[in-house]
Amino acid sequence: MSMSNVLVTGGAGYIGSHCVRQLLGQGWRAVVLDDFSTGFKDLLISDEWVEGSTLDKRRVKQILRDYDISAVMHFAACAYVGESVENPEKYYENNVQGTLRLLSAMREEGVNQFIFSSSCATYGVPNQLPLTEDHPLNPVNPYGFTKRVVEQMLADFSVAYDLNYVSLRYFNAAGADPGGQLGECHDPETHLIPLILQVATGERENITVFGTDYDTKDGTCVRDYIHINDIGKAHLLALKYLQGGGTSDVFNIGTEVGNTVREVILACEKVTGKSITMVVGERRPGDPPALVASAEKIRRILKWEPEYTDLESIVETAWAWEQKRTQVLSETAG
Ligand SMILES: NC(=O)c1ccc[n+]([C@@H]2O[C@H](COP(=O)([O-])OP(=O)(O)OC[C@H]3O[C@@H](n4cnc5c(N)ncnc54)[C@H](O)[C@@H]3O)[C@@H](O)[C@H]2O)c1
C-alpha cells in the first residue's frame, strides 16, 4: 500500500498531535492545519504545518493541492460541552460549517478519504449498555448535535459524491504519549484525569465530583477511559482500511470497561502517592449516569485492540506528562 500524504486538521491539539506522531512514526507524511484557537505550537510534531482555519475554503483547497493530499483526518473542532450550551453559534459555525467547507474543498480537489473525530456525545442518555453503534443518536447538548449533524453530512456526501469516510466515536480520551513529548492540555481544563492530577501537583486545591447519588456502584458517574495512543492506532487502521477500499462506516473507540469517578480518583492517588481532596457538587444537567462502549465492531472490522486496558496504566502516562506540562507548553492557547 502506498504511503500517501495526510492532512491533519487540529493537529496541534491533544488528540491530533498524538495521531501526527503515529503517522510520522509509520512513514506517512502529515501536514497539519490548525488555527491554534485551543492548540499549541509546542505540540506540533510535524515540520509541515499551516496556521489557518477549516473555515477558509480557498486556503484548504490550496493546501490539498500544494501537498498532494489524498486523505484528511479531521480533529479540528470546538469541544467544550458547557460552552456549546452557552454559545451554540460558535459550535455550529466551527464544527458544522468548518467541516462543510473542508468537505466541499475536498470534493472540488478530488480528495475522497476522510476520518472524522466523532464522540459518544452523539448518543445522549443510553437506553442500554454497552453502547453499540446502532444505538439511537439523541445528543443532549449542542456539541453532541454538531457531531451528529456532521455524521449525517458524511453519510449524505458518501451517497451523492465520491466520499469514503470513517467516523470514530471516541469515549473519554485520556493519558499521554509515554515518550513525554505530548499530552493533554485544555484551557479551561474540563477533563477529569488532568483535573485530579492538578490537585496532586498543587495547581488546584480539590476536585469537584458532580453527583454522588447516581444509580452506579458508588453513586458517581461511570465513563469509559480510552488511552490516546489507542485512539491514534484506530486512526491509522481506519486510514489503511480506506486506502484498501473499505466502505464508509462508523466505529466506537472505547475499552468496554466503565470506571466511576471515585475509582479514577483512587487510581490517581495510587499512581501519584498523594491524597486528593474531593468536594461533592450538584449533578450537571445532561450528564448520563454511565457511558460504556461496545468496541466489538472496531475489533472485528478494523482489527483494533487497545493496548491500555487498565486505568492505572493510563493514569501513569497522564501523570508523567502532568509533571512536565508547564515546561513543555511555553504559551497558553488562543
Ligand atoms: N478529548 C476527548 O475526550 C474527545 C472525545 C470525543 C471526541 N473528541 C473530538 O476530538 C477532536 C480533538 O479533540 P481534543 O481533545 O484534541 O481537542 P483540542 O482542543 O486539544 O484540539 C482541537 C484542535 O483543533 C484546532 N482547531 C479548532 N477549530 C479549528 C479550525 N476551524 N481550523 C483549524 N484548527 C482548528 C485547535 O486549535 C486545536 O489544536 C475534536 O473534534 C473533539 O470534538 C474529543
Side-chain angles (χ1 to χ4, degrees), residues 9-16 33-40 52-55 74-80 94-95 98 116-120 143 147 168-174 184-186 191:
T9 75
Y14 171 44
I15 305 175
L33 170 67
D34 204 296
D35 67 1
F36 300 105
S37 51
T38 57
F40 297 86
S53 172
T54 52
L55 287 158
H74 181 39
F75 299 93
C78 299
Y80 291 116
N94 203 37
N95 297 5
F116 176 57
S117 300
S118 189
S119 165
C120 63
Y143 167 70
K147 296 291 178 183
L168 296 171
R169 292 182 186 149
Y170 320 154
F171 280 63
N172 286 50
E184 180 159 18
C185 187
H186 298 102
H191 292 159

Side-chain angles (χ1 to χ4, degrees), residues 262-282:
R262 282 189 208 272
E263 285 172 336
V264 179
I265 294 174
L266 281 175
C268 291
E269 288 189 321
K270 198 161 168 203
V271 168
T272 63
K274 315 247 174 177
S275 87
I276 309 288
T277 310
M278 176 182 134
V279 173
V280 175
E282 294 289 303

Side-chain angles (χ1 to χ4, degrees), residues 94-106:
N94 203 37
N95 297 5
V96 177
Q97 178 81 289
T99 307
L100 180 58
R101 296 215 179 128
L102 174 62
L103 289 173
S104 170
M106 287 173 61

Side-chain angles (χ1 to χ4, degrees), residues 53-295:
S53 172
T54 52
L55 287 158
D56 185 349
K57 181 171 152 187
R58 238 179 36 178
R59 191 88 187 276
V60 174
K61 286 181 64 163
Q62 189 70 46
I63 296 168
L64 296 176
R65 280 198 300 273
D66 287 353
Y67 292 93
D68 195 19
I69 299 292
S70 66
V72 176
M73 289 188 182
H74 181 39
F75 299 93
C78 299
Y80 291 116
V81 168
E83 186 187 52
S84 80
V85 176
E86 282 154 27
N87 191 357
E89 184 181 358
K90 176 176 176 183
Y91 279 69
Y92 283 97
E93 181 175 26
N94 203 37
N95 297 5
V96 177
Q97 178 81 289
T99 307
L100 180 58
R101 296 215 179 128
L102 174 62
L103 289 173
S104 170
M106 287 173 61
R107 190 171 66 77
E108 288 173 25
E109 294 301 324
V111 178
N112 69 352
Q113 294 173 5
F114 191 76
I115 299 173
F116 176 57
S117 300
S118 189
S119 165
C120 63
T122 51
Y123 293 118
V125 181
N127 299 334
Q128 94 278 329
L129 293 176
L131 280 151
T132 49
E133 289 81 353
D134 57 3
H135 185 282
L137 301 182
N138 295 312
V140 290
N141 50 63
Y143 167 70
F145 267 105
T146 65
K147 296 291 178 183
R148 182 184 153 178
V149 170
V150 170
E151 283 201 357
Q152 186 61 52
M153 207 151 76
L154 292 173
D156 294 339
F157 273 48
S158 74
V159 171
Y161 315 122
D162 179 27
L163 175 75
N164 298 311
Y165 73 91
V166 166
S167 182
L168 296 171
R169 292 182 186 149
Y170 320 154
F171 280 63
N172 286 50
D177 179 52
Q181 241 181 320
L182 299 173
E184 180 159 18
C185 187
H186 298 102
D187 186 17
E189 190 55 79
T190 57
H191 292 159
L192 183 63
I193 293 175
L195 286 175
I196 299 171
L197 294 178
Q198 285 165 20
V199 180
T201 58
E203 196 174 325
R204 291 172 197 273
E205 280 182 12
N206 52 48
I207 176 80
T208 304
V209 177
F210 298 106
T212 51
D213 56 353
Y214 285 100
D215 184 17
T216 58
K217 63 178 167 184
D218 61 22
T220 63
C221 285
V222 171
R223 295 291 181 266
D224 182 333
Y225 295 90
I226 175 76
H227 193 269
I228 189 86
N229 279 353
D230 286 327
I231 295 180
K233 198 154 91 177
H235 281 74
L236 276 268
L237 290 171
L239 181 59
K240 288 178 194 153
Y241 168 82
L242 288 178
Q243 297 230 314
T247 51
S248 296
D249 215 334
V250 178
F251 301 96
N252 288 336
I253 317 180
T255 56
E256 305 186 303
V257 176
N259 283 110
T260 66
V261 175
R262 282 189 208 272
E263 285 172 336
V264 179
I265 294 174
L266 281 175
C268 291
E269 288 189 321
K270 198 161 168 203
V271 168
T272 63
K274 315 247 174 177
S275 87
I276 309 288
T277 310
M278 176 182 134
V279 173
V280 175
E282 294 289 303
R283 287 183 181 200
R284 290 181 301 195
D287 248 353
L291 291 171
V292 181
S294 161

